[in-house]
Amino acid sequence: MAEQRHQDWDPRAKDVQQNQIRAYDDMRQTCPVAWSDYQQWTLFRHADVMRVLEDHDTFSNAVSAHLSVPNGMDPPEHTPYRKTIEPYFAPEPMAHFEPQCRDVARRLVNDLQKNQPVDVVEALSRPFALKIQCAFMGWPDSLHQPLAEWVMKNHRATLARDRAAMTEVAEEFDGYIRDLLDSRRQAGEQAPDDVTTQLMQEQVNGKPMTDEELVSLLRNWTVGELATISASISILTNYLAHHPALFNDLKAAPGQLADAIDEILRMDAPLISNRRITTRDVEIGGRHIPAGEKITLLWASANRDEDTFGAPDNFCPHQNAPKNLLYGAGIHICPGAPLARMELRIFMEELLKQITGIEVVGSDAPERAMFPTGGFNYLPLQFLGSDPKTF
C-alpha cells in the first residue's frame, strides 16, 4: 500500500491545467501508470486503456456511491437498461431529429456576428449544446438559462471535489427533471410525444423505471451532452482557425466533415476521462493495483499515444479511425454517439455555409477549460463572411 501513497503527479497543478493535452503527453512518456490523491490510478496509454475497456469483469463501472443509469452499472444489471436506450439513437429517430437540429444550428450561425472578434464559447458552443439538448429531449426553452448556470456550478463543484456542493448541485438538477416528469403526468394523454415522455413509458425487466432511475438516466445524458458538445464546438473552430487549408477543403467538400470531426476530437479531447474500479488485484504497466482501487481512463492521452497513432498531431482521419476512442469502446461505448456525430456534423455544415474563414484574434489569449472538461472556457475568434449587421 505504500506505493499508492506516493504522488506521481498532481492532476490539478497549474501547469497541468493550463494545457492538459501537453501535460498528458509528457506523463505518457515518463509515468504512464500514475498515482495521485485526486484521480487515484491514471492510465495514459492506449493499450492499457483498451485492456480495461475489454475486461469489465476486472474493471467495474460501479464507481459512484449513487445510482448511475446505465453508466455506473455492470452486466447483467447494465444490459436491459442499455437495450432500452439504444433505440433512441437508431437511424430512424436520428433522421427524424435532423431537421430540427439543422434549424437550431442555422439560427445560431445566422445570429453570429461576422467580421469581428467573438467569444466562441458564449456565442456558439454553450448555446448550441443547451438548445440542442433541450430540443432532443423535448424540454422548454425556459430551461436554457437555468441549465447554463447549473453546468457552471456542477463544473466548479466537481473540480473542487466539494462533496456538499456536488450533492446540492445534483439535487438542483434532479428538481428540474422531477418537475418535467410531474408536468407530463399531469398532462396525461395531452403530454408531448417526445423523448422524455417516451422514456417514462419504457419498461426494464418488465417494470416501468422509477423516478430515481429516470432522473439518473436523464442527468447522465444531459451532463455528458452539454459538456462534450460545447467543448467539441470550441475545439473544432479553434482547429480550423489554425488550419485554413483544411477549412477550405471541408468547405469545398462537406462530405468529409464527419471523418474530420472525429479526427480533430481525437487530437484534442472534449471528454477528458472516465473512471473504473478494480474488482481484484491487478498489475498494469509494472504497477500493482489492489482490488477496490479507482482507475481514471485518460481518453485525452490514450487517443494521442504514439505507439498507436504515430505522431499524435498528424491529421490522418482514415488511418486513425479504427483505434479512435472518442466515444469509448467495449460494452460501455457511448450509446449517444450517433446523436453527437450528427449534431456536430450539422453544426459545422451550417457554419461553413455562411463563413469564408476563421481567424485567430491575436490580441486576446484563449483560456483552456480545466479538468474534467476539455475545450475552452474562453475562445476569441473572428468569423469571416458577409454579415449585414456589420454595415
Side-chain angles (χ1 to χ4, degrees):
M1 296 296 288
E3 181 186 36
Q4 295 176 344
R5 302 309 164 200
H6 171 72
Q7 281 271 113
D8 294 315
W9 72 311
D10 180 3
R12 292 185 292 179
K14 185 177 180 180
D15 59 336
V16 173
Q17 291 298 330
Q18 283 177 338
N19 194 332
Q20 292 186 78
I21 301 299
R22 298 305 173 195
Y24 302 156
D25 286 350
D26 291 341
M27 287 296 297
R28 191 169 58 252
Q29 302 300 321
T30 59
C31 189
V33 180
W35 168 265
S36 68
D37 291 332
Y38 182 59
Q39 291 183 1
Q40 294 202 6
W41 295 100
T42 302
L43 305 187
F44 292 86
R45 292 186 297 210
H46 190 278
D48 293 335
V49 169
M50 283 300 300
R51 175 183 170 185
V52 171
L53 297 177
E54 292 171 345
D55 184 0
H56 55 82
D57 290 326
T58 302
F59 304 98
S60 167
N61 257 51
V63 179
S64 175
H66 305 285
L67 178 67
S68 181
V69 179
N71 309 38
M73 295 175 168
D74 297 318
E77 183 185 29
H78 166 266
T79 307
Y81 289 95
R82 178 77 184 212
K83 287 182 177 178
T84 298
I85 66 176
E86 282 180 341
Y88 287 86
F89 306 105
E92 185 176 348
M94 293 298 91
H96 178 74
F97 182 58
E98 181 167 343
Q100 191 176 1
C101 178
R102 192 172 295 279
D103 183 61
V104 170
R106 184 181 294 124
R107 288 173 182 270
L108 261 179
V109 178
N110 281 343
D111 291 341
L112 178 66
Q113 296 285 335
K114 315 297 195 302
N115 305 311
Q116 58 184 285
V118 298
D119 176 13
V120 172
V121 177
E122 288 297 322
L124 294 176
S125 297
R126 288 178 184 153
F128 181 68
L130 284 163
K131 290 175 183 291
I132 210 66
Q133 175 67 0
C134 288
F136 180 69
M137 299 303 302
W139 296 349
D141 292 350
S142 58
L143 265 183
H144 290 172
Q145 188 58 36
L147 280 178
E149 295 171 0
W150 179 86
V151 167
M152 300 305 295
K153 286 187 282 189
N154 183 58
H155 179 68
R156 287 193 296 268
T158 302
L159 181 64
R161 293 186 79 178
D162 184 335
R163 299 297 180 187
M166 290 166 70
T167 299
E168 183 178 335
V169 168
E171 289 175 352
E172 178 184 341
F173 181 87
D174 293 358
Y176 296 141
I177 301 303
R178 292 183 190 279
D179 287 346
L180 291 166
L181 300 180
D182 289 343
S183 68
R184 280 162 168 73
R185 290 196 179 101
Q186 292 170 10
E189 294 182 358
Q190 304 303 313
D193 183 22
D194 54 29
V195 168
T196 301
T197 301
Q198 291 164 21
L199 281 169
M200 294 174 67
Q201 298 166 352
E202 294 284 1
Q203 292 199 345
V204 176
N205 297 323
K207 299 178 181 178
M209 281 189 279
T210 65
D211 277 11
E212 185 183 13
E213 290 170 327
L214 285 166
V215 168
S216 174
L217 174 59
L218 293 174
R219 186 196 309 120
N220 284 332
W221 275 14
T222 304
V223 172
E225 180 82 356
L226 294 182
T228 55
I229 292 298
S230 177
S232 295
I233 296 298
S234 66
I235 291 166
L236 293 168
T237 52
N238 179 67
Y239 190 87
L240 293 182
H242 287 87
H243 297 83
L246 179 60
F247 173 92
N248 291 332
D249 288 346
L250 295 176
K251 185 171 175 64
Q256 298 175 12
L257 266 170
D259 292 336
I261 289 169
D262 276 10
E263 175 68 346
I264 293 168
L265 299 179
R266 174 194 67 77
M267 294 184 279
D268 193 348
L271 176 64
I272 299 296
S273 67
N274 276 139
R275 297 187 301 164
R276 299 291 191 272
I277 189 167
T278 52
T279 61
R280 62 179 179 85
D281 288 11
V282 65
E283 185 173 298
I284 305 178
R287 308 295 294 269
H288 175 74
I289 303 177
E293 292 285 292
K294 291 180 181 177
I295 291 181
T296 299
L297 307 179
L298 212 57
W299 311 119
S301 174
N303 255 350
R304 295 176 53 81
D305 191 334
E306 295 81 359
D307 290 343
T308 302
F309 300 103
D313 289 308
N314 284 355
F315 180 83
C316 305
H318 299 295
Q319 176 182 320
N320 293 330
K323 298 293 182 71
N324 192 342
L325 295 176
L326 175 60
Y327 294 102
I331 64 168
H332 292 286
I333 192 169
C334 178
L339 175 63
R341 283 191 165 109
M342 182 186 73
E343 291 171 348
L344 294 173
R345 172 182 57 80
I346 286 176
F347 178 87
M348 295 306 296
E349 285 175 359
E350 293 302 317
L351 180 65
L352 266 57
K353 284 177 186 177
Q354 293 196 36
I355 63 173
T356 58
I358 309 175
E359 291 184 345
V360 176
V361 179
S363 60
D364 211 357
E367 179 189 332
R368 276 279 179 175
M370 294 187 293
F371 184 90
T373 305
F376 295 83
N377 286 334
Y378 173 67
L379 178 61
L381 294 175
Q382 184 164 263
F383 296 88
L384 308 180
S386 176
D387 185 348
K389 292 189 284 292
T390 64
F391 296 98

